[in-house]
Amino acid sequence: MPADPVVDLEPITTEFRQSIAAILETFIRDKEAELASVGGDLAPLFTTARSYVEGGKQLRPAFAYWGWRAAGGSSKRLDAVMTAAAAIELVHASALVHDDVMDGSATRRGRPAAHRWFARLREPAPGKSGPEQGGPGRSDFGQSDFGQSAAILLGDLLLSWSDELLARSTLAPKVLQRGRVYFDKLRTEVVAGQYLDVLAQTSGRSSTSDAMRVLRYKSAKYTVERPLQFGAALAKADQPLLRALSSYGIPLGEAFQLRDDVLGVFGATDVTGKPSGDDIREGKRTLLMARAFDLATSAQIDVLLASFGHRDVDADGIAAVQDVLRETGALDAVETVISELTSAALSALRHAPIGDEEVCAALRVLSDRATSRLV
Amino acid sequence: MPADPVVDLEPITTEFRQSIAAILETFIRDKEAELASVGGDLAPLFTTARSYVEGGKQLRPAFAYWGWRAAGGSSKRLDAVMTAAAAIELVHASALVHDDVMDGSATRRGRPAAHRWFARLREPAPGKSGPEQGGPGRSDFGQSDFGQSAAILLGDLLLSWSDELLARSTLAPKVLQRGRVYFDKLRTEVVAGQYLDVLAQTSGRSSTSDAMRVLRYKSAKYTVERPLQFGAALAKADQPLLRALSSYGIPLGEAFQLRDDVLGVFGATDVTGKPSGDDIREGKRTLLMARAFDLATSAQIDVLLASFGHRDVDADGIAAVQDVLRETGALDAVETVISELTSAALSALRHAPIGDEEVCAALRVLSDRATSRLV
């Protein structure tokens, strides 16, 4: 990678994060006030909504911001663009809540996942074996059913709210309509990618092409390409720039997800916020695993099968899978792909019609940040 | 009820239904074309999306249409308003898909519920005991997990699409923004109502006030009040008309849901499209059941508890619950409430500032249709 002329540039500043967080908090507080007349028992929806928008990396709003800057967005409209960028974070919060339900995840960013958190609300009081007095609950509708239902509803609420927040942006309707094209694509494509992902999880297929397709729709377009284009469209980007942002965003997004996949197997808990080896327990069908199954001997396949997708696998089981990933060369192969994709993204960036050198520097730093081994 | 001057007026014509259905089909086909490059394995999402928008009563688009007419909407904008009205049907389709997941419902309108339908896709081929060859699936991620995950994703897709379709309406941005206020309220309130509903299902409380609150948010506002106001706002309704539509819409919507609750316990399958007594099996905490628990002797409570909320209850069990609902007077009490609410709605309608007599007649017919014993 070429030496960076703006080495100390920070593409996601604390001020940026705080600004997005403040927009989201104001919005949620408004909704809470609007629904106050319904009753205090809605409070858990707001508590969990907050917990899913707090502490995120805000990568998507950041890409939207830099896309807007790439298209020469006027700083006079900054507030309006920040509101639009924050709307993507509500889409993401919704996706995370529903993802956690689908994966049966116990935690999110070190806290209980929404469905677990809701389930705890309905824990029988000590000394009681059933629900509160006053009548029967559904005999077959227990704590975990309640937790899951409430989490499905929370995700729906966050998804509806993402539009509402976007519409709050004071950008001119025609400008907003231009951005909405990419906002809509982002929301449809991430669901398509997630569907392909759950399909792969049950189908037992593990082909490289399937894994790359999930990667593209669920991650690369959703995390990088579409947010960049969304922001750029809000500054009336022309087609050559929108295409250049795609040429940069897709390989970068793929590299970013592959790095995340490597961390999901090899990363320490303090880096990932998840138990080490969690992707092995969950049986996540990543390119890394697909390569391993392709390259493994039958003895190595037995090792993989003994742990992959088993919730109760212990530290030794995780370590054995890690060894197979190294020994087969699957890890090296994925690292090579990450390097190639990152190079492709940076090459596209060099040829992109972006005049502002600060924007180019920020996008270079983001590439490095999103794909390096240390993230 | 006063004799109706326009007795043969049909408030939801075949032409209206076909027009809404055509808008939805065109939209879904466009989305299918847009995602064709992703791959043919997304096809089940479109099949199920269609099955949830087909064959609905289209009550909500109809109320939106009549709200628009009540505010004197110009027939020149009819096409644009029909598109906006159809968007509510996508919200509803999303709510139904997620509702079926939460309730674990087997069927919807006589067909398999989405999560069941998706689960069947992953049935192992005859003679195979596990997933396809090529690698392992998640050991703990079976058919029903896939079905449920796919249905959650389908609901998300339909909810995102509702905005996209609304934005397609060619109404002026300022006009659309006026309607969006009620569209947003509708989407937030229905989730709030559903949350209160699942909360009541696990809490074991069955108070009349809780049941009425669920009724108001999950049904009355969502089905009648907000669609009416949404349509009216698209024709620049003033505050007195918006308030009058609320005074008519809330009691009517409550009466409508109470009628639905009665049918859920006493209705024949050919009327409801659900197995008779389904609400008893599901343990649905309606006003009817709340009243029954309030009025029942301890022997009658035992009869209720033996069947209510038990999936495997047989025809005798259902009949025994029906007897208790009659004997305690709970059924009569609810019928009285339905009559009173319907009268209140019709009285509000008489005082509403609606000049067009055809609109008043249509809203009277809709009141009758939604609350009468024969629906």
Side-chain angles (χ1 to χ4, degrees):
Chain A
M1 218 165 61
D4 205 305
V6 192
V7 284
D8 59 351
L9 181 114
E10 172 49 60
I12 317 182
T13 61
T14 305
E15 198 192 347
F16 179 88
R17 283 182 213 272
Q18 287 173 345
S19 172
I20 295 287
I23 291 166
L24 294 169
E25 173 52 28
T26 301
F27 179 83
I28 293 174
R29 206 161 46 215
D30 286 354
K31 292 285 117 192
E32 202 165 13
E34 205 180 303
L35 289 174
S37 61
V38 181
D41 38 10
L42 294 182
L45 286 171
F46 295 99
T47 306
T48 45
R50 285 193 173 91
S51 86
Y52 270 75
V53 302
E54 282 165 7
K57 288 196 282 285
Q58 299 188 352
L59 261 181
R60 292 157 197 85
F63 279 118
Y65 169 79
W66 287 108
W68 176 72
R69 285 285 306 273
S74 154
S75 59
K76 277 184 273 180
R77 308 304 295 142
L78 179 61
D79 285 353
V81 167
M82 290 296 282
T83 300
I88 307 188
E89 205 63 4
L90 287 179
V91 176
H92 189 52
S94 166
L96 293 180
V97 170
H98 283 179
D99 238 23
D100 287 343
V101 171
M102 294 188 284
D103 290 347
S105 304
T107 60
R108 167 67 60 182
R109 294 176 192 148
R111 301 185 221 182
H115 58 107
R116 293 286 191 104
W117 191 90
F118 281 114
R120 286 190 193 174
L121 285 184
R122 307 311 308 164
E123 231 150 53
K128 286 188 179 182
S129 62
E132 293 165 35
Q133 290 182 309
R138 266 171 60 178
S139 65
D140 62 340
F141 194 81
Q143 251 184 277
S144 71
D145 294 305
F146 170 72
Q148 186 169 290
S149 294
I152 291 173
L153 292 169
L154 173 65
D156 292 349
L157 208 50
L158 290 163
L159 190 55
S160 294
W161 287 353
S162 71
D163 279 293
E164 219 172 317
L165 184 56
L166 180 60
R168 273 198 192 192
S169 162
T170 53
L171 290 161
K174 277 194 179 170
V175 174
L176 210 51
Q177 191 48 41
R178 217 177 254 131
R180 197 179 276 278
V181 171
Y182 296 97
F183 191 77
D184 289 342
K185 282 182 193 295
L186 176 151
R187 297 202 302 181
T188 289
E189 287 165 354
V190 67
V191 172
Q194 287 175 301
Y195 179 80
L196 295 175
D197 199 11
V198 292
L199 198 60
Q201 277 177 33
T202 41
S203 74
R205 292 177 306 178
S206 62
S207 77
T208 300
S209 70
D210 279 343
M212 284 305 290
R213 203 162 52 122
V214 168
L215 199 70
R216 172 158 299 199
Y217 285 93
K218 188 177 167 183
S219 304
K221 284 173 164 286
Y222 170 62
T223 304
V224 187
E225 184 206 27
R226 297 311 189 188
L228 277 169
Q229 291 180 321
F230 170 63
L234 295 178
K236 305 186 193 172
D238 58 12
Q239 284 303 317
L241 177 58
L242 290 166
R243 273 196 300 272
L245 292 174
S246 177
S247 302
Y248 159 81
I250 290 184
L252 175 60
E254 289 173 352
F256 165 70
Q257 184 58 48
L258 291 174
R259 169 61 55 219
D260 202 57
D261 292 347
V262 171
L263 288 171
V265 172
F266 292 95
T269 304
D270 59 343
V271 175
T272 62
K274 294 197 289 188
S276 181
D278 218 31
D279 284 2
I280 295 170
R281 283 185 203 89
E282 281 189 13
K284 216 170 140 190
R285 306 188 68 81
T286 62
L287 183 71
L288 180 62
M289 293 307 302
R291 283 285 162 93
F293 277 105
D294 282 351
L295 297 167
T297 63
S298 65
Q300 287 172 322
I301 285 182
D302 289 343
V303 173
L304 294 175
L305 290 178
S307 296
F308 187 64
H310 295 274
R311 290 264 167 211
D312 53 355
V313 62
D314 61 10
D316 288 347
I318 301 285
V321 171
Q322 289 173 337
D323 285 344
V324 170
L325 293 172
R326 283 195 200 91
E327 289 159 12
T328 52
L331 177 60
D332 285 345
V334 170
E335 289 290 355
T336 302
V337 176
I338 293 175
S339 295
E340 286 169 358
L341 288 167
T342 308
S343 295
L346 289 169
S347 165
L349 184 59
R350 279 192 297 275
H351 297 99
I354 302 174
D356 187 336
E357 181 48 34
E358 197 193 350
V359 176
C360 295
L363 293 176
R364 278 195 298 273
V365 176
L366 281 170
S367 316
D368 192 38
R369 193 79 63 81
T371 60
S372 72
R373 287 164 196 259
L374 296 170
V375 169
Chain B
M1 218 166 61
D4 205 306
V6 191
V7 283
D8 59 351
L9 181 115
E10 172 49 60
I12 317 182
T13 61
T14 305
E15 197 192 348
F16 179 87
R17 283 182 211 272
Q18 286 173 345
S19 172
I20 295 286
I23 291 166
L24 293 169
E25 174 52 28
T26 300
F27 180 83
I28 293 174
R29 206 162 44 214
D30 286 354
K31 291 286 117 191
E32 202 165 14
E34 205 180 303
L35 289 175
S37 61
V38 181
D41 37 11
L42 295 182
L45 287 171
F46 295 99
T47 306
T48 44
R50 286 193 173 91
S51 86
Y52 270 75
V53 301
E54 283 165 6
K57 288 196 282 284
Q58 299 188 353
L59 260 181
R60 292 158 197 85
F63 278 119
Y65 169 79
W66 287 108
W68 176 72
R69 286 284 306 273
S74 154
S75 59
K76 276 184 274 180
R77 308 304 295 142
L78 179 61
D79 285 352
V81 167
M82 291 296 282
T83 300
I88 307 188
E89 205 63 3
L90 287 180
V91 177
H92 189 52
S94 166
L96 293 180
V97 170
H98 283 180
D99 238 23
D100 287 344
V101 171
M102 294 188 283
D103 290 347
S105 304
T107 60
R108 167 67 61 183
R109 293 175 193 149
R111 300 185 222 183
H115 58 107
R116 292 286 191 106
W117 191 90
F118 281 114
R120 286 191 193 173
L121 286 185
R122 307 311 309 164
E123 232 151 52
K128 287 187 180 184
S129 62
E132 293 165 34
Q133 290 182 307
R138 267 172 59 177
S139 66
D140 62 339
F141 194 81
Q143 251 184 278
S144 71
D145 293 304
F146 170 73
Q148 186 168 290
S149 294
I152 291 173
L153 292 169
L154 173 65
D156 292 348
L157 208 51
L158 290 163
L159 189 55
S160 293
W161 287 354
S162 71
D163 279 290
E164 220 172 316
L165 184 55
L166 180 59
R168 272 197 191 192
S169 162
T170 54
L171 290 161
K174 277 193 180 171
V175 174
L176 210 51
Q177 191 47 40
R178 217 177 253 131
R180 198 178 274 279
V181 171
Y182 296 97
F183 191 77
D184 289 341
K185 282 183 194 292
L186 176 150
R187 297 202 302 180
T188 288
E189 286 165 354
V190 67
V191 171
Q194 287 175 300
Y195 179 81
L196 295 175
D197 198 11
V198 292
L199 198 61
Q201 278 176 33
T202 41
S203 74
R205 292 178 305 179
S206 63
S207 77
T208 301
S209 70
D210 279 343
M212 285 305 289
R213 203 161 53 119
V214 169
L215 199 70
R216 173 158 298 199
Y217 286 92
K218 189 177 167 181
S219 304
K221 285 173 164 285
Y222 170 63
T223 304
V224 187
E225 183 205 29
R226 297 311 188 187
L228 277 169
Q229 291 180 321
F230 170 63
L234 295 178
K236 304 184 192 174
D238 58 12
Q239 284 304 316
L241 177 57
L242 290 166
R243 274 197 299 272
L245 291 174
S246 178
S247 301
Y248 160 81
I250 290 184
L252 174 60
E254 289 173 352
F256 165 69
Q257 184 58 48
L258 291 174
R259 169 61 56 219
D260 202 57
D261 291 347
V262 170
L263 288 171
V265 172
F266 292 95
T269 304
D270 58 344
V271 175
T272 62
K274 294 197 288 186
S276 181
D278 218 31
D279 284 1
I280 295 171
R281 282 185 204 89
E282 282 189 13
K284 217 171 141 188
R285 306 189 68 81
T286 61
L287 183 71
L288 180 62
M289 293 306 303
R291 283 285 162 92
F293 277 105
D294 283 351
L295 297 166
T297 63
S298 65
Q300 286 172 322
I301 284 181
D302 289 344
V303 173
L304 295 175
L305 290 178
S307 296
F308 187 65
H310 295 274
R311 290 264 168 212
D312 53 355
V313 61
D314 61 10
D316 288 347
I318 300 287
V321 171
Q322 289 172 337
D323 286 344
V324 170
L325 293 172
R326 283 196 200 90
E327 289 159 11
T328 52
L331 177 60
D332 285 345
V334 170
E335 289 290 355
T336 302
V337 176
I338 293 175
S339 295
E340 286 169 359
L341 288 167
T342 308
S343 295
L346 290 169
S347 164
L349 184 59
R350 278 193 298 276
H351 297 99
I354 302 174
D356 186 337
E357 181 47 35
E358 197 193 350
V359 176
C360 294
L363 293 177
R364 278 196 298 273
V365 176
L366 280 171
S367 316
D368 192 39
R369 192 79 63 80
T371 60
S372 72
R373 288 165 195 259
L374 296 170
V375 169

